């Protein structure tokens, strides 16, 4: 397979006498394939190898631990712990040091440093264990996906689908659009097959494949257009992909790892915000630590140095000052944050799988919570993707609610129609009758083609009979459907020449047709008849939410051609599509119903209430797309929204040179709701334009759905790409961040809920921990400057700031999401994760705790019994070796207030009922109780290790009262108005939120926009709007036609001017 196409063809002819000779050498039949005998298949696996490529070994646990240790905060903690232990050892072993024989202090300081190291190792172990577990689960899921990946082959003369690992050399495999080839092979028969070999060659151009010009098909390449059959010649290690992987060996592992890291280094929305926050906290911590050291040095200089002069012992005093600054630095940093993020993401991803979201990239989970826009496909995502023909227009008769009888149709018309459907479809598409009476038919392959084949069965005809008379290899030429043609054509040989069958978008085929079949034969079409068919047939079907498909043909006759036939010679230039597709004879137009999923309208309404704009991007025609969008609730004809076709869209956003103008695009996308007849590049341009736009204050976060190979660029560009697990191609799944295992839009809404839950869980934890840090830093700073020592020991702060906060992260990160999360706007890309409401809560609760602790520090012994039983000060200096009940009381009160503030931290948006849903979160309750019990044990028996003195019941009651005061104080804080700058006003002017959603969210629009909002509300809620809202679920075809046609006509009036402009522009392009 390392030969180029000329060498390959020469070798194929010289050594094997062509493809048939190769099939004979491999003991295979190019029509019937291999015999379906298990012993022979197993023998081929033994001789030629299995179709399995060994995977790269996963990262070791130690490698994962090292990657966790690259975290900046963890490294600072390790350095601080080592410095602390080093200073303690230095003081202890120095012979002339006054601390040399103070064993208890040495043990306490060593315990402090060791405890920090232990806590860091705990975080590293838990994080690495989660990453290792995630890697194992992902590999297991990947293995399951690969084992479930099926490929169509022919064995024993019958088509069957087998797992890709069961393919063997000699198998005859069918290749179709969107397939990722699992093995190497030689093309036997191709229908306009084009492959994307960029993964192997780096060339982005599609490569045309044909048996006589370039028959080589390589594993790892993608079928982008057409179809064909190939004989498999190499599998597994012997395939092109396998050889490359083996040649690269360890280099491949390193290179791939770098590439993987490069991909993952693109920070998510939350990662970016946390990085900014970490830098700000780090700067704040360094500043406080530096100021503290400076203040202590100045105070020492003024008091001691000036009085007693310089002494060698003062070096150690200065080192102590530096250590005090390092302690402040440690206290200020949110050590529990990495663990909180890890726990929240890991928990959410495991739960999302139950909601049909397979998360491939962990960061996509929280990014989805910030999504402001969803660009969704129509077919299969918003609709059921189970298509059936429900209307037809044949021989000038429009049948609305039932299929025609075979006997009632004109003989020539019915023959041409059935043959056109049977032959001009992928031969891998088929419909199987139900195995049990009353069951549904099984659809295999393309759903549109299956709908047409089902129509043939409804006429009591067999499409298989027509295919047997015209086997696939006898087809002269096949032009497969793609986004540019919008149609499919197949050329067959007939008695006096050739016949071209065409099917595709009805309005496109009608424009290409010069004749139409009637009862008395073909009749010439004029412009007036085309307009009449468009208005009374195509638009009525589209208004009823149907996809309209046209069927047509064209005969090339060698002698005595009729009026609608074309004279030809024996040799026709089949590469000239323009000659083939013009001058067709229209056979029929059918309307295919793809009903809106019953749950989709409600899901879209939830998105709109959540401030998320849903846009439909589809390849269907504008009328059908608009009708489905109306039924889903995406588009409202009377609102200031846009529904555009591709040509209109591109005219409005491009400059004179054809380049996308971001300013012009910014004028379009905020009001755009439907983009029809969309090319793959249109979806990419739209997604990129929305992401790059700077109109919204907090920037847009865009999610995109896709199932086709051509959707891959848009899926990659989007902040979150959703691929369809059922209908999606391998290429789209590879490009996506999340795979929807049920292809359902409601699963996207669930992803939004989980994403917001992750975001809020981390915000809650930050609100909790930053309050702890502010209190600890202020207390450490003030006490160090006033009494030269902090009442909160380093080991106690470690318990508060790391271990207890780790428990808090577990408690706050495992709350299950609720629908309440969808009742607020998304935060967007640039808004800080620390909101004004959170700042108010942090400052408010920190102020309460600081005041309480300062009162306890300086006045506690006057009103609290049994606090003055030990000496606290000696010459205004604390005897550091003495463990006092006074300081234990301060430590305990701080922890109890922190525990009660953890309950306050369950709410982010000023909610009064902080206990709502607390009994449903068993993890929170258990962790809270265990933390409280641990605190009791630490205080009562901690002694030297935690430097505590036991408290009696009166002290505990006082601490508990101050803790309850936190809850009361929290209620008072919630009554304080949040500063106006914290509120994100919905941008009504840009169409980011529909007016009725704003009403339900109780948000008051600004006065300068109010008149337009009121006008939209009056229009949206008018009785006519309600009565004319079509339902593709409950209404039958006739009702939908009556109800929807009025709405479509109304919206079309608004777009008539743009449409005319588009048509004139298209004509100019055609002339050029």
């Amino acid at each position: 397979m390392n030969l180029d196409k000329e060498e390959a063809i020469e070798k194929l002819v010289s050594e094997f006498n062509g493809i048939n000779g190769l099939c004979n050498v491999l003991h295979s039949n190019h029509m019937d394939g291999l015999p379906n005998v298990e012993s022979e298949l197993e023998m081929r696996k033994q001789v030629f190898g299995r179709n399995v490529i060994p995977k790269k070994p996963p990262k070791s646990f130690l490698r994962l631990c090292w990657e966790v240790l690259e975290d900046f905060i963890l490294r600072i903690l390790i350095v601080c712990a080592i410095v602390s232990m080093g200073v303690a050892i230095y003081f202890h072993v120095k012979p002339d040091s006054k601390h040399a024989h103070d064993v208890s202090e040495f043990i306490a300081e060593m315990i402090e440093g060791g405890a920090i190291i232990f806590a860091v190792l705990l975080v590293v172990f838990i994080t690495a264990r989660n990453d290792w577990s995630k890697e194992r689960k992902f590999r297991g899921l990947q293995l399951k996906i690969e084992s479930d990946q099926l490929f169509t082959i022919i064995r024993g003369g019958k088509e069957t689908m087998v797992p890709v690992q069961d393919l063997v050399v000699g198998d005859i495999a069918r290749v179709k659009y969107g397939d990722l080839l699992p093995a190497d092979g030689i093309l036997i028969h191709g229908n306009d097959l084009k492959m994307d070999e960029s993964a192997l060659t780096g060339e982005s151009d599609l490569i045309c494949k044909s048996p006589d010009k370039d028959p080589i098909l390589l594993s790892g390449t993608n079928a982008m257009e057409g179809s064909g059959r190939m004989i498999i010649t190499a599998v597994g290690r012997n395939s092109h992909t396998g050889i490359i992987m083996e040649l690269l060996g360890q280099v491949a592992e390193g290179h791939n790892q770098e590439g993987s890291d490069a991909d993952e280094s693109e920070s998510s929305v939350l990662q970016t915000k946390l990085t900014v926050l970490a830098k700000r906290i780090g700067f704040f911590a360094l500043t406080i630590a530096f100021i503290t050291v400076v203040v202590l040095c100045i105070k020492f200089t003024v008091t001691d140095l000036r009085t007693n002069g310089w002494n060698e012992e003062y070096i150690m005093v200065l080192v102590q000052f530096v250590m005090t600054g390092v302690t402040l630095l440690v206290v200020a940093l949110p050590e529990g944050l990495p663990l909180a993020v890890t726990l929240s993401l890991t928990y959410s991803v495991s739960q999302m799988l139950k909601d049909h979201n397979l998360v491939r990239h962990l960061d996509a989970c929280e990014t989805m919570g910030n999504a402001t826009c969803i660009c969704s496909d129509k077919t299969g995502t918003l609709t059921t993707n189970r298509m059936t023909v429900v209307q037809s227009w044949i021989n000038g008769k429009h049948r609305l609610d039932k299929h025609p009888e075979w006997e009632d149709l004109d003989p020539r018309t019915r023959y041409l129609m059935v043959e056109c459907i049977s032959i001009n479809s992928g031969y891998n598409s088929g419909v199987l009758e139900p195995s049990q009476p009353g069951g549904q038919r099984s659809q295999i392959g393309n759903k549109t083609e299956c709908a047409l084949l089902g129509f043939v069965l409804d006429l009591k005809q067999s499409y298989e009979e027509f295919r047997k008379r015209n086997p696939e290899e006898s087809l002269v030429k096949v032009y497969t459907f793609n986004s540019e043609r919008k149609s499919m054509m197949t050329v067959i040989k007939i008695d006096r020449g050739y016949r071209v069958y065409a099917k595709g978008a009805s309005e496109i085929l009608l424009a290409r047709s010069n004749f139409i079949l009637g009862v008395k034969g073909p009749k010439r079409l004029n412009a007036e008849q085309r307009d009449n068919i468009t208005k009374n047939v195509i638009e009525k079907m589209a208004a009823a939410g149907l996809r309209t498909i046209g069927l047509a043909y064209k005969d090339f006759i060698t002698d005595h051609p009729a009026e609608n036939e074309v004279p030809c010679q024996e040799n026709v230039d089949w590469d000239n599509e323009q000659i083939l597709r013009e001058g067709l004879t229209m056979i029929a137009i059918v309307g295919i119903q793809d009903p809106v999923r019953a749950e989709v309208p409600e899901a879209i309404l939830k998105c709109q209430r959540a401030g998320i704009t849903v846009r439909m991007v589809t390849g269907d025609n504008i009328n059908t797309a608009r009708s489905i969008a109306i039924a889903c609730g995406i588009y409202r004809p009377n609102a200031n929204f846009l529904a555009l076709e591709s040509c209109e869209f591109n005219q409005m956003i491009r400059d004179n040179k054809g380049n996308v103008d971001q300013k012009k695009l910014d004028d379009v996308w905020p009001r755009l709701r439907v983009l029809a007849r969309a090319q793959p590049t249109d979806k990419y341009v739209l997604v990129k334009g929305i992401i790059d736009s700077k109109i919204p204050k907090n920037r847009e976060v865009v999610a995109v759905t896709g199932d086709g190979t051509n959707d891959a660029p848009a899926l990659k560009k989007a902040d979150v790409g959703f691929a369809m697990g059922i209908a999606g191609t391998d290429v789209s799944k590879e490009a996506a961040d999340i795979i929807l295992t049920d292809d359902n839009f409601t699963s996207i809404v669930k992803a939004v809920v989980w994403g917001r839950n992750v975001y809020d869980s981390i915000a809650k934890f930050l609100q909790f921990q930053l309050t702890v840090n502010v209190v600890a830093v202020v207390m450490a700073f003030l006490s160090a400057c006033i009494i030269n020592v902090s009442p909160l020991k380093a080991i106690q702060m470690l318990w508060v700031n790391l271990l207890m906060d780790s428990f808090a992260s577990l408690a706050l990160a495992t709350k299950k999401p609720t629908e309440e999360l969808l009742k607020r706007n998304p935060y967007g890309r640039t808004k800080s994760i620390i909101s004004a409401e959170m700042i108010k809560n942090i400052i408010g609760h920190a102020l309460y705790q600081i005041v309480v602790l300062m009162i306890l520090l300086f006045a506690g012994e006057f009103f609290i019994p049994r606090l003055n039983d030990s000496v606290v000060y000696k010459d205004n200096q604390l005897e550091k070796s003495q463990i006092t009940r006074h300081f234990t009381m301060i430590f305990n009160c701080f922890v109890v207030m922190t525990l009660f503030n953890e309950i306050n931290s369950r709410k982010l948006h000023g909610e009064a009922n902080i206990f709502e849903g607390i009994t449903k979160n068993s993890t929170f309750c258990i962790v809270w109780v265990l933390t409280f019990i641990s605190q009791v044990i630490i205080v009562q028996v901690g002694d030297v290790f935690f430097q505590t003195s036991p408290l009696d019941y009166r002290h505990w009651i006082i601490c508990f009262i101050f803790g309850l005061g936190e809850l009361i104080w929290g209620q008072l804080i919630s009554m304080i108005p949040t500063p106006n700058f914290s509120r994100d006003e919905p941008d009504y002017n840009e169409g980011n939120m529909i007016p009725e959603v704003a009403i339900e969210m109780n948000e008051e629009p600004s006065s300068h926009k109010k008149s337009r909002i009121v006008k939209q509300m009056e229009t949206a809620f008018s009785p006519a709007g309600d009565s004319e809202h079509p339902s593709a679920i409950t209404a039958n075809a006739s009702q939908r036609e009556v109800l929807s046609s009025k709405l479509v006509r109304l919206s079309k009036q608004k777009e008539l001017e743009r449409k005319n402009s588009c048509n004139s522009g298209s004509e100019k392009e055609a002339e050029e």
Side-chain angles (χ1 to χ4, degrees):
M1 285 297 179
N2 292 324
L3 304 174
D4 61 27
K5 54 187 178 183
E6 290 82 9
E7 293 174 336
I9 293 173
E10 181 181 345
K11 187 172 183 179
L12 189 64
V13 173
S14 61
E15 294 190 16
F16 301 103
N17 294 322
I19 291 177
N20 288 333
L22 177 63
C23 292
N24 292 333
V25 169
L26 294 175
H27 300 284
S28 181
N29 185 288
H30 73 282
M31 289 295 296
D32 296 334
L34 295 173
N36 197 6
V37 179
E38 187 63 32
S39 58
E40 181 171 341
L41 297 176
E42 188 61 34
M43 181 268 292
R44 288 177 180 268
K45 292 177 182 178
Q46 297 294 331
V47 174
F48 299 108
R50 298 178 181 275
N51 192 32
V52 176
I53 299 175
K55 301 292 183 184
K56 281 191 308 180
K59 294 178 183 177
S60 66
F61 185 76
L62 291 178
R63 170 73 182 275
L64 293 172
C65 290
W66 178 253
E67 290 181 359
V68 177
L69 281 171
E70 292 176 357
D71 184 88
F72 175 71
I73 294 177
L74 295 181
R75 288 184 173 183
I76 288 181
L77 286 172
I78 293 173
V79 171
C80 291
I82 293 174
V83 170
S84 175
M85 296 171 71
V87 171
I89 294 171
Y90 175 78
F91 284 169
H92 184 66
V93 300
K94 187 174 175 60
D96 56 346
S97 172
K98 68 179 182 181
H99 303 288
H101 302 291
D102 193 347
V103 178
S104 62
E105 184 175 350
F106 170 72
I107 293 174
E109 290 178 350
M110 289 300 294
I111 288 174
E112 287 180 12
I116 293 175
I117 297 290
F118 172 77
V120 169
L121 293 177
L122 181 65
V123 171
V124 169
F125 175 80
I126 293 175
T127 307
R129 177 69 175 79
N130 283 332
D131 288 342
W132 183 72
S133 177
K134 183 193 75 174
E135 178 73 14
R136 285 188 61 192
K137 287 180 181 178
F138 181 71
R139 282 179 174 264
L141 290 169
Q142 201 171 31
L143 183 63
K144 183 178 184 301
I145 291 172
E146 290 175 358
S147 63
D148 290 345
Q149 184 183 353
L150 305 177
F151 211 76
T152 305
I153 61 172
I154 302 173
R155 283 182 183 169
K158 295 181 180 180
E159 281 193 11
T160 183
M161 299 184 74
V162 299
V164 292
Q165 61 266 29
D166 290 342
L167 296 176
V168 297
V169 171
D171 267 328
I172 304 298
R174 285 198 180 277
V175 182
K176 63 182 183 301
Y177 163 79
D179 280 345
L180 177 68
L181 297 193
D184 295 353
I186 300 294
L187 186 64
I188 298 174
H189 177 267
N191 297 323
D192 196 27
L193 184 62
K194 294 181 181 178
M195 303 297 297
D196 177 9
E197 297 183 349
S198 59
L200 299 179
T201 66
E203 296 293 333
S204 58
D205 294 337
L206 300 184
I207 309 298
C208 296
K209 298 290 182 177
S210 62
D212 54 342
K213 294 181 180 179
D214 186 1
I216 295 179
L217 299 178
L218 301 176
S219 59
T221 60
N222 302 293
M224 304 299 287
E225 293 182 18
S227 60
R229 282 184 292 118
M230 73 170 184
I231 181 169
I232 294 177
T233 55
V235 296
R237 291 176 177 269
N238 300 317
S239 66
H240 197 76
T241 301
I243 292 172
I244 290 176
M245 291 184 68
E246 286 206 2
L247 286 175
L248 292 176
Q250 294 300 319
V251 178
E253 185 177 353
H255 178 74
N256 290 344
Q257 187 59 45
E258 289 174 11
S260 175
D261 290 343
D263 291 340
E264 293 179 4
S265 65
E266 203 172 306
S267 297
S268 67
V269 175
L270 180 62
Q271 281 179 325
T272 303
K273 293 181 180 183
L274 290 178
T275 300
V276 172
L277 178 65
K279 289 179 179 177
R280 290 175 179 173
I281 293 176
F283 176 78
F284 169 77
L286 287 171
T287 303
I288 292 294
F290 177 76
I291 291 174
T292 302
V293 174
V294 170
V295 169
L296 289 173
C297 289
I298 293 174
K299 182 179 178 182
F300 173 74
T301 302
V302 172
T303 57
D304 291 357
L305 191 61
R306 188 174 177 184
T307 305
N308 304 322
W310 176 255
N311 189 314
E312 187 179 347
E313 282 288 329
Y314 290 162
I315 295 177
M316 300 175 188
V317 176
L318 294 177
V319 172
Q320 283 292 332
F321 292 164
V322 173
M323 283 303 300
T324 301
V326 171
T327 303
L328 272 172
L329 182 64
V330 172
V331 168
L333 293 174
E335 298 91 338
L337 183 58
L339 183 60
V341 175
T342 302
L343 286 173
S344 185
L345 286 176
T346 305
Y347 172 75
S348 298
V349 167
S350 63
Q351 294 298 312
M352 286 175 70
L353 188 58
K354 300 176 182 177
D355 286 335
H356 309 290
N357 284 271
L358 173 58
V359 180
R360 297 186 68 248
H361 301 143
L362 201 62
D363 298 334
C365 173
E366 46 86 4
T367 303
M368 196 59 206
N370 287 287
T372 59
C373 168
I374 299 174
C375 296
S376 175
D377 283 342
K378 175 179 72 68
T379 304
T381 309
L382 301 174
T383 59
T384 61
N385 198 24
R386 187 168 189 83
M387 300 186 182
T388 54
V389 174
V390 295
Q391 291 188 24
S392 61
W393 186 80
I394 307 170
N395 294 146
K397 187 174 181 180
H398 193 171
R399 296 169 174 84
L400 294 177
D401 295 320
K402 63 178 182 178
H403 295 311
E405 296 293 333
W406 179 256
E407 295 76 14
D408 296 339
L409 297 175
D410 172 63
R412 177 168 172 77
T413 301
R414 67 191 187 190
Y415 177 84
L416 290 171
M417 180 176 66
V418 173
E419 186 175 60
C420 175
I421 293 173
S422 303
I423 296 174
N424 191 32
S425 299
Y427 276 38
N428 57 324
S429 295
V431 178
L432 304 178
E433 293 290 353
S435 57
Q436 297 179 352
Q440 288 187 327
R441 290 170 176 162
S442 300
Q443 296 183 341
I444 302 172
N446 184 278
K447 300 300 181 182
T448 302
E449 292 181 344
C450 287
L452 295 173
L453 295 173
F455 181 56
V456 172
L457 297 179
D458 290 335
L459 293 174
K460 297 181 174 56
Q461 303 301 306
S462 172
Y463 62 86
E464 292 287 358
E465 292 298 325
F466 285 88
R467 289 180 174 180
K468 287 179 181 178
R469 292 199 293 267
N470 296 272
E472 195 172 11
E473 61 273 5
S474 70
L475 305 179
V476 178
K477 183 76 173 179
V478 177
Y479 304 87
T480 55
F481 181 92
N482 62 29
S483 54
E484 294 180 0
R485 292 191 183 110
K486 297 293 185 185
S487 63
M488 175 181 179
M489 295 186 295
T490 301
V491 183
I492 63 172
K493 191 80 172 65
I494 57 176
D495 290 341
R496 295 187 300 147
Y498 302 93
R499 175 169 293 158
V500 179
Y501 280 120
K503 78 167 188 295
S506 57
E507 66 273 22
I508 292 177
L509 287 193
L510 183 63
R512 296 174 182 172
S513 297
N514 292 341
F515 299 88
I516 189 166
L517 273 183
V519 178
K520 297 181 180 180
K523 297 184 295 184
R524 182 171 288 277
L525 275 173
N526 55 40
E528 182 179 353
Q529 290 172 321
R530 283 196 185 92
D531 292 341
N532 185 52
I533 294 172
T534 300
K535 181 179 180 181
N536 296 323
V537 180
I538 297 176
E539 289 188 3
K540 281 191 175 183
M541 287 185 181
L546 306 182
R547 174 185 291 185
T548 57
I549 303 294
L551 305 173
Y553 79 103
K554 181 178 181 179
D555 284 347
F556 289 83
I557 303 301
T558 55
D559 59 329
H560 303 98
E563 183 183 13
N564 68 322
E565 298 172 343
V566 179
C568 73
Q569 304 299 323
E570 282 297 325
N571 296 323
V572 180
D573 183 10
W574 300 118
D575 292 328
N576 191 344
E577 287 188 46
Q578 189 67 29
I579 296 176
L580 299 179
R581 67 187 186 186
E582 298 298 333
L584 300 173
T585 300
M586 180 68 76
I587 302 172
I589 297 173
V590 296
I592 298 177
Q593 182 188 51
D594 187 10
V596 174
R597 290 180 183 266
E599 63 275 13
V600 162
E602 182 182 356
I604 288 177
L605 184 58
K606 286 180 181 178
C607 286
Q608 292 168 339
R609 286 174 177 166
I612 302 172
T613 302
V614 182
R615 294 178 170 88
M616 179 196 292
V617 182
T618 178
D620 220 332
N621 69 70
I622 185 65
N623 292 324
T624 302
R626 188 192 296 111
S627 180
I628 295 294
I630 291 171
C632 292
I634 294 174
Y635 182 79
R636 286 171 171 74
N638 294 329
N640 191 23
F641 295 153
L642 293 177
L644 303 176
E645 283 191 328
S646 174
C647 62
E648 297 176 273
F649 176 70
N650 282 283
Q651 272 192 352
M652 296 172 72
I653 67 169
R654 295 183 184 273
D655 57 22
N656 296 332
K657 297 180 180 179
N659 299 320
V660 176
D661 188 328
Q662 183 64 46
K663 187 176 180 181
K664 290 185 175 182
L665 184 56
D666 286 343
D667 294 334
V668 174
W669 73 258
R671 294 188 296 128
L672 182 67
R673 291 297 179 273
V674 178
L675 182 57
R677 291 296 182 212
Q679 305 288 336
T681 52
D682 295 334
K683 181 182 280 191
Y684 178 83
V685 167
L686 177 63
V687 171
K688 183 178 184 298
I690 295 176
I691 292 176
D692 294 343
S693 177
K694 297 181 180 179
I695 290 180
K697 182 175 64 175
N698 293 319
R699 304 284 296 275
E700 296 282 309
V701 177
V702 183
V704 171
T705 70
D707 56 5
T709 301
N710 289 334
D711 290 328
L715 290 170
K716 276 286 188 184
K717 181 61 182 175
D719 294 295
V720 181
F722 285 89
M724 303 297 110
I726 300 172
T729 61
D730 298 329
V731 182
S732 65
K733 293 176 186 176
E734 190 67 27
D737 301 297
I738 299 176
I739 297 175
L740 299 178
T741 57
D742 63 347
D743 291 11
N744 198 329
F745 185 86
T746 55
S747 297
I748 300 177
V749 180
K750 293 175 183 176
V752 172
V753 175
W754 276 108
R756 291 191 175 189
N757 193 61
V758 168
Y759 193 95
D760 281 7
S761 296
I762 295 169
K764 290 172 185 176
F765 175 76
L766 278 172
Q767 179 175 267
F768 171 77
Q769 175 147 27
L770 291 181
T771 303
V772 176
N773 290 6
V774 169
V775 175
V777 167
V778 172
M779 285 298 298
F781 175 76
L782 293 178
S783 57
C785 294
I786 297 173
I787 62 174
N788 290 347
V789 69
S790 173
L792 300 173
K793 305 302 180 182
I795 187 65
Q796 295 171 355
M797 283 310 306
L798 188 69
W799 160 247
V800 172
N801 213 29
L802 186 61
L803 297 181
M804 199 179 81
D805 287 355
S806 298
F807 294 148
S809 67
L810 179 64
L812 295 172
T814 54
K815 178 182 180 293
K816 291 187 177 180
T818 64
E819 293 290 331
E820 294 295 317
L821 292 169
L822 295 177
K823 294 183 179 179
R824 63 163 174 80
N825 281 354
Y827 295 122
R829 185 181 299 275
T830 57
K831 181 178 177 179
S832 172
I833 191 172
I834 305 295
S835 66
E837 185 75 33
M838 291 171 63
I839 293 174
K840 181 184 74 174
N841 291 335
I842 292 169
I843 294 176
H845 289 289
L847 182 62
Y848 171 83
Q849 294 182 28
I850 290 169
V851 170
V852 170
L853 295 179
M854 294 303 287
I855 291 173
L856 288 176
L857 178 62
F858 293 105
E861 58 186 276
F862 298 113
F863 68 91
I864 299 177
R866 298 190 64 190
L867 276 189
N868 57 354
D869 59 344
S870 57
V871 178
V872 179
Y873 302 105
K874 186 176 181 180
D875 298 329
N876 202 34
Q877 298 289 324
L878 178 77
E879 289 294 334
K880 295 178 62 178
S881 61
Q882 187 171 357
I883 300 173
T884 69
R885 188 175 296 158
H886 190 166
F887 280 7
T888 302
M889 181 74 178
I890 293 173
F891 163 61
N892 190 55
C893 191
F894 177 38
V895 171
V896 173
M897 288 190 296
T898 298
L899 272 174
F900 279 94
N901 189 41
E902 187 175 341
I903 300 175
N904 285 322
S905 298
R906 295 181 65 250
K907 303 297 180 182
L908 284 176
H909 308 291
E911 298 92 332
N913 186 3
I914 58 175
F915 293 102
E916 181 184 5
I918 194 170
T919 56
K920 297 179 181 178
N921 189 353
S922 57
T923 304
F924 180 91
C925 298
I926 293 171
V927 169
W928 197 94
V929 171
L930 289 177
T931 308
F932 186 81
I933 293 173
S934 301
Q935 176 64 16
V936 173
I937 296 172
I938 287 172
V939 169
Q940 298 304 115
V941 299
D943 200 24
V944 176
F945 189 92
F946 280 98
Q947 300 187 39
T948 58
S949 176
L951 302 177
D952 61 26
Y953 72 95
R954 288 170 294 185
H955 299 147
W956 279 101
I957 291 174
I958 293 172
C959 292
F960 206 78
I961 290 172
F962 282 127
L964 288 174
E966 260 287 359
L967 302 182
I968 300 171
W969 184 252
Q971 295 299 305
L972 296 176
I973 292 175
S974 66
M975 297 177 185
I976 301 174
T978 305
N980 289 331
F981 64 83
S982 71
R983 293 178 183 168
D984 276 340
E985 293 290 343
D987 198 351
Y988 301 103
N989 194 40
E990 300 303 335
N992 286 339
M993 181 175 286
I994 58 176
E996 55 267 39
V997 173
I999 292 172
E1000 292 182 27
M1001 294 180 67
N1002 296 318
E1003 292 185 330
E1004 181 69 19
S1006 55
S1007 58
H1008 67 282
K1009 300 173 183 176
K1010 190 170 183 179
S1011 59
R1012 191 176 74 80
I1013 297 300
V1014 171
K1015 185 177 179 181
Q1016 284 190 349
M1017 289 194 309
E1018 291 172 351
T1019 306
F1021 288 108
S1022 63
D1026 288 341
S1027 64
E1028 294 182 357
H1029 192 286
S1031 172
I1033 304 166
T1034 58
N1036 60 34
S1038 302
Q1039 289 173 325
R1040 283 196 305 272
E1041 176 191 332
V1042 175
L1043 296 175
S1044 300
S1045 60
K1046 294 181 181 179
L1047 283 176
V1048 173
R1049 205 173 296 121
L1050 175 64
S1051 56
K1052 284 196 68 178
Q1053 289 174 359
K1054 293 186 176 183
E1055 299 171 16
L1056 184 60
E1057 186 176 340
R1058 290 196 306 271
K1059 186 73 174 177
N1060 292 335
S1061 172
C1062 176
N1063 291 337
S1064 62
S1066 300
E1067 290 173 3
K1068 290 180 182 178
E1069 291 176 5
E1071 291 173 2
E1072 292 173 359

